[in-house]
Amino acid sequence: MPATWIKNGRIIDPKNNRDETGDLFIVDGKISARPAQDILDTAEVIDASGLVVCPGLVDLHVHFRVPGQSHKETIRSGTSAAAAGGFTSVVCMPNTSPAVDSAGTVQLIKDVVHREAVVNVFPTGTITVGREGEALAPTGSLASSGIVAITDGGKCVQNAGLMRRAVQYAHMFDIPVIDHCQDYSLSGDGVMNEGLVSAKLGLRGLPKAAEDMIVSRDVILSTHTGAHIHLQHVSSKTAVEIIRRAKARGINVTAEVTPHHISLTDAEVESFNTNFKMNPPLRSEEDRIALLQALEDGTIDCIATGHAPHTDYEKDVEFDYAPFGVIGLETALSLTLAQLYRSERLSLIGALSLLTHRPAEILKLKKGTLSEGADADVTLFDLDETWVPQDKKFFSKSSNSPWIGQELTGKVKTTIVAGRVVFDGTRILAD
Amino acid sequence: MPWNRKDLITIEELSVDEINTLFETADAFKKVLGRKTAKTPALRGKHVVNLFFEPSTRTRVAFEMAAKRLSADVTSLDMKTSSATKGETLRDTVENIRALAADIIIIRHSAPGSAGYIAKILDIPVLNAGDGAHEHPTQALLDCFTLREKFGSLEGRKIAILGDILYSRVARSNIWAMKKLGAEVTLVGPSTLVPHEFEQFGVHVSHNLKSALADKDAVMLLRIQHERQNASAFPSLNEYTSMFGLNKERLAWLKKDAIIMHPGPINRGVEIDSELADSEQSVILEQVTNGLAVRMAGLYLCNGGSAEAVVTK
């Protein structure tokens, strides 16, 4: 593979606290020091003038629907969306059909990834067999087959005793447990945040207490077992407080938040637009601000999209009957920049850390940095270019985005995986 | 007298002028109903389709009779036995009905927002006959029309709405309507069914029946939808009745000439003592009658009719 010479970019590597204008070199798929002149003479040159050059983004939470629901997304379309959004590594959830509760299913996914993926895909396995919350899945076998964590992805193990055994057992293999925190006895059949807007619309509420209860439980289980539990898409102010206190006591929990939960509130649901239906639901402005503060002070460790594709016909129904979830890979960078960098809550380097080395470190992925010798996963983006997401124009197979028709700022121009350009700003260059 | 709406979906979006226009039109239709031949040709040649995805007797029949009094052809469909049960989407269902040349659709559906959803899809008038717990605009209009007949105006009147507010589309639509028309509204019931979020709508919330009923001009009872409750909303129907049921003794807590309203169907002996439901202070059956005139007005206005035309007929 020829070397690549990325010239005159604003190179930002949050892990190494690097923010400088200069050149970046890739040799043999790895980040390299300046190579010898003869190598430079034949290097592919990418002019990065006016662009930010940062580590390829890392997303700990995507749904690629393979196997079983390829009408919503495939590994090819999902990883294309990732590349178009600047993501070079994604962790896919196991709520597929069948669920990823056996080494055989992991192997199946790995085979498809090998054939179709344009970015790195790290599979997860389930906590319980069939995500039924009743019996432990074979964590050891799953770990041996190459999963990076276990989770019932989209479901929460309700039985605290079973969850305790799950985290104890997974801890033995040094496998983190990822949890979608929701107490079903409290959330019931709610479809949106419980509060003023749900009271007005007559939609059934999903109370914050449902999330807070399980976040508390997981903190307690981590306290008693020492196991690492990663809390997905935190949405409530109280949950943030619980995590903040747990971290202050050194408890081994980490947490993520989505771009939509830091950008939107439940007021959006007044339109009954099902592209604002997600679980956990969009909360109040008070919660949104708490999430942003938690990203500022490190209580929440990273941003993850929760990329959840659904077809237009599945979402084009009454709000009650629409599936939860929105896509997010292609808009995450713009939204993160808007809420954290442009709002002056964080520096550019601080905002990008939430999408690069910090998520990578949570699952011990050797990704998210431009350190010499690291895999050459690199994203180049224009910090100031504006663009408007349009229905049917996503690289994802689905278009269930809350941002259709809205102007966003910050546009990915080039995505490089292991030294190879996979996205050139308009097209996926896969093969 | 403005009415430029294709649809009647929510009270929240109506202006006071629009509500008054509808009332004036309903006044005219009520006079029509008092005539020997209580029928007008206003919707002759039009086909009204009643789509009821939830059980209903009075609202469905009231809409059907209103449409017939306007000389429309009416088809009423019980959607519980339709292709919807075979998995057809609501969009496909209503687009098919539109393709069969329906001119007006009336819809009742368990999902909040469903009436507004199909109103955006279709180019013909859509009237909301109740969308989940969201709104029931014609019920609120007939309730306020009845209050207006009794009091002349709602301005400054004090009204209590008692019962299951959380799950009630009638309550929501009435809150909007009564507030717009100048009434002071108090919601009362158990804390599990009357959450304090409602205070932000500009109404009072109370869990104390006696203080809530004091000095009220009217009390509107809501049916306790015990079929929708899980057991935890309140301990039992008996307990509800003992704490919040309206009986003769508690009637005295209201103003002396206060009126009793109920959108029906009544659970006699639960939210109201049977004898009160039939008492002189009860206007429950007047509400039903007014529902016919109000729904005629809604159908007529959404079909492009003008209030003046009815008044001058």
Side-chain angles (χ1 to χ4, degrees):
Chain A
M1 181 186 289
T4 303
W5 183 359
I6 301 171
K7 276 188 176 174
N8 293 322
R10 179 178 172 188
I11 298 173
I12 297 183
D13 182 14
K15 184 178 171 70
N16 294 308
N17 201 27
R18 178 180 176 191
D19 182 354
E20 63 191 9
T21 300
D23 297 352
L24 189 73
F25 305 97
I26 298 170
V27 177
D28 293 333
K30 302 284 184 186
I31 303 295
S32 167
R34 188 183 182 91
Q37 190 58 43
D38 60 327
I39 294 176
L40 285 180
D41 287 345
T42 59
E44 179 188 351
V45 175
I46 296 174
D47 180 9
S49 303
L51 301 180
V52 173
V53 179
C54 71
L57 311 184
V58 178
D59 189 347
L60 297 186
H61 187 171
V62 303
H63 300 270
F64 278 174
R65 312 298 190 200
V66 172
Q69 292 185 302
S70 53
H71 60 293
K72 296 174 191 258
E73 197 79 285
T74 61
I75 296 291
R76 183 50 162 266
S77 64
T79 55
S80 296
F87 288 91
T88 55
S89 294
V90 296
V91 175
C92 60
M93 294 295 109
N95 55 328
T96 48
S97 183
V100 190
D101 61 5
S102 73
T105 309
V106 177
Q107 189 57 50
L108 184 150
I109 291 169
K110 287 168 81 173
D111 289 347
V112 181
V113 166
H114 182 69
R115 286 197 305 274
E116 297 185 10
V118 298
V119 305
N120 305 300
V121 177
F122 297 95
T124 54
T126 61
I127 299 172
T128 63
V129 175
R131 300 168 61 239
E132 298 289 338
E134 290 174 359
L136 294 183
T139 311
S141 306
L142 289 165
S144 301
S145 68
I147 53 117
V148 294
I150 56 169
T151 172
D152 272 356
K155 274 191 176 178
C156 178
V157 176
Q158 298 296 290
N159 182 322
L162 184 66
M163 186 65 172
R164 176 190 172 209
R165 295 300 179 209
V167 298
Q168 274 181 320
Y169 192 71
H171 193 36
M172 178 170 69
F173 301 104
D174 198 21
I175 291 289
V177 178
I178 299 177
D179 203 8
H180 170 114
C181 300
Q182 191 166 26
D183 182 318
Y184 296 160
S185 70
L186 284 163
S187 60
D189 54 1
V191 295
M192 70 168 293
N193 181 45
E194 182 178 286
L196 176 62
V197 183
S198 69
K200 182 174 165 186
L201 301 181
L203 288 170
R204 294 181 304 281
L206 275 161
K208 295 169 201 172
E211 177 175 323
D212 303 339
M213 292 285 280
I214 297 293
V215 168
S216 303
R217 177 196 75 174
D218 287 355
V219 166
I220 291 165
L221 292 178
S222 179
T223 304
H224 289 295
T225 62
H228 175 198
I229 303 179
H230 176 69
L231 310 167
Q232 291 184 307
H233 41 45
V234 174
S235 68
S236 113
K237 181 182 177 183
T238 305
V240 164
E241 274 306 315
I242 294 164
I243 297 164
R244 185 173 284 127
R245 288 182 203 172
K247 286 194 160 186
R249 289 187 287 123
I251 308 304
N252 193 13
V253 292
T254 52
E256 69 186 37
V257 69
T258 73
H260 35 279
H261 286 106
I262 59 172
S263 306
L264 303 168
T265 68
D266 60 357
E268 303 287 348
V269 180
E270 289 213 30
S271 62
F272 289 103
N273 181 339
T274 56
N275 282 340
F276 295 101
K277 181 175 177 180
M278 51 201 78
N279 187 3
L282 296 171
R283 301 289 190 189
S284 68
E285 179 67 3
E286 183 185 28
D287 296 296
R288 189 182 78 87
I289 297 300
L291 297 175
L292 287 166
Q293 288 167 345
L295 286 168
E296 275 182 85
D297 70 16
T299 298
I300 292 179
D301 301 84
C302 72
I303 289 172
T305 65
H307 182 81
H310 295 292
T311 63
D312 53 359
Y313 60 84
E314 289 167 305
K315 279 285 196 179
D316 185 14
V317 293
E318 305 89 310
F319 196 89
D320 270 353
Y321 305 147
F324 290 104
V326 300
I327 56 171
L329 283 164
E330 293 168 69
T331 50
L333 176 62
S334 302
L335 299 169
T336 302
L337 293 172
Q339 294 302 330
L340 293 162
Y341 167 64
R342 286 182 209 292
S343 66
E344 300 184 349
R345 285 182 176 274
L346 287 175
S347 64
L348 187 53
I349 200 168
L352 290 174
S353 71
L354 298 166
L355 289 165
T356 55
H357 75 102
R358 289 176 67 176
E361 285 161 4
I362 288 169
L363 295 189
K364 302 189 183 78
L365 310 176
K366 290 180 177 140
K367 297 290 179 186
T369 175
L370 300 177
S371 299
E372 204 177 313
D375 293 340
D377 297 343
V378 185
T379 294
L380 281 66
F381 68 91
D382 186 329
L383 192 55
D384 300 315
E385 183 174 328
T386 57
W387 64 293
V388 179
Q390 291 175 28
D391 196 10
K392 311 290 182 200
K393 297 272 179 151
F394 291 99
F395 286 86
S396 170
K397 217 168 174 180
S398 296
S399 294
N400 50 315
S401 166
W403 310 105
I404 292 168
Q406 296 195 40
E407 186 175 275
L408 303 180
T409 305
K411 186 84 176 72
V412 174
K413 308 303 284 185
T414 304
T415 306
I416 298 169
V417 176
R420 201 160 53 92
V421 174
V422 296
F423 176 68
D424 68 0
T426 52
R427 292 171 305 145
I428 299 296
L429 311 170
D431 301 310
Chain B
M1 287 191 285
W3 185 278
N4 298 313
R5 294 183 180 276
K6 171 176 87 71
D7 312 297
L8 177 52
I9 305 299
T10 71
I11 298 291
E12 187 194 359
E13 64 193 0
L14 293 186
S15 67
V16 173
D17 280 349
E18 285 172 317
I19 293 172
N20 284 326
T21 294
L22 193 135
F23 285 166
E24 285 160 28
T25 313
D27 280 334
F29 281 127
K30 193 163 181 186
K31 286 184 188 130
V32 170
L33 292 172
R35 296 199 304 233
K36 198 170 178 184
T37 306
K39 199 162 180 174
T40 80
L43 295 186
R44 180 174 292 156
K46 300 289 181 184
H47 203 126
V48 175
V49 177
N50 251 338
L51 287 182
F52 275 67
F53 291 83
E54 274 192 330
S56 164
T57 304
R58 71 199 62 217
T59 303
R60 186 174 61 79
V61 171
F63 265 115
E64 191 170 323
M65 291 181 73
K68 285 179 175 170
R69 297 284 187 192
L70 295 167
S71 303
D73 297 316
V74 184
T75 301
S76 287
L77 295 170
D78 178 356
M79 300 307 291
K80 293 190 300 304
T81 57
S82 77
S83 53
T85 60
K86 299 176 188 170
E88 186 178 60
T89 65
L90 183 57
R91 173 186 281 274
D92 285 339
T93 300
V94 299
E95 284 185 338
N96 273 280
I97 287 166
R98 173 66 184 119
L100 289 167
D103 296 300
I104 299 175
I105 284 183
I106 297 157
I107 180 170
R108 166 166 291 186
H109 196 291
S110 62
S114 51
Y117 168 69
I118 70 163
K120 284 180 195 154
I121 293 171
L122 299 178
D123 59 349
I124 55 171
V126 175
L127 280 80
N128 181 10
D131 58 333
H134 180 218
E135 286 231 33
H136 191 353
T138 56
Q139 180 67 46
L141 289 166
L142 75 88
D143 290 336
C144 290
F145 185 84
T146 306
L147 285 162
R148 175 175 163 269
E149 278 189 335
K150 291 290 166 193
F151 298 127
S153 159
L154 273 71
E155 191 67 47
R157 292 293 173 175
K158 294 182 175 178
I159 301 161
I161 306 178
L162 165 58
D164 173 358
I165 306 294
L166 184 60
Y167 297 99
S168 173
R169 52 191 166 219
V170 175
R172 284 174 180 78
S173 284
N174 264 302
I175 290 168
W176 295 122
M178 289 171 176
K179 290 284 298 171
K180 283 173 197 272
L181 297 171
E184 189 180 295
V185 180
T186 299
L187 309 178
V188 57
S191 54
T192 46
L193 294 177
V194 191
H196 275 273
E197 277 87 2
F198 281 91
E199 283 175 343
Q200 293 177 65
F201 298 174
V203 299
H204 305 291
V205 167
S206 171
H207 310 305
N208 181 314
L209 188 59
K210 187 169 188 177
S211 65
L213 294 187
D215 76 358
K216 295 298 181 288
D217 296 293
V219 58
M220 176 177 293
L221 304 171
L222 298 176
R223 190 169 70 92
I224 292 302
Q225 302 180 65
H226 50 86
E227 74 277 13
R228 287 193 189 186
Q229 307 293 345
N230 58 34
S232 55
F234 51 81
S236 68
L237 282 181
N238 279 343
E239 168 126 338
Y240 180 86
T241 303
S242 69
M243 301 301 293
F244 293 100
L246 192 65
N247 56 31
K248 206 164 183 180
E249 179 199 343
R250 291 168 178 175
L251 189 66
W253 296 343
L254 289 146
K255 273 188 183 170
K256 203 174 175 189
D257 55 351
I259 61 170
I260 300 167
M261 307 179 81
H262 196 305
I266 300 169
N267 294 316
R268 287 178 186 264
V270 178
E271 64 262 7
I272 184 169
D273 263 10
S274 187
E275 64 175 310
L276 292 190
D278 303 325
S279 69
E280 284 188 4
Q281 282 172 272
S282 163
V283 296
I284 294 170
L285 291 176
E286 289 170 59
Q287 288 172 265
V288 175
T289 304
N290 285 335
L292 197 54
V294 162
R295 289 180 174 115
M296 288 171 78
L299 287 164
Y300 176 75
L301 291 171
C302 289
N303 192 55
S306 73
E308 289 90 342
V310 187
V311 175
T312 54
K313 258 178 196 166

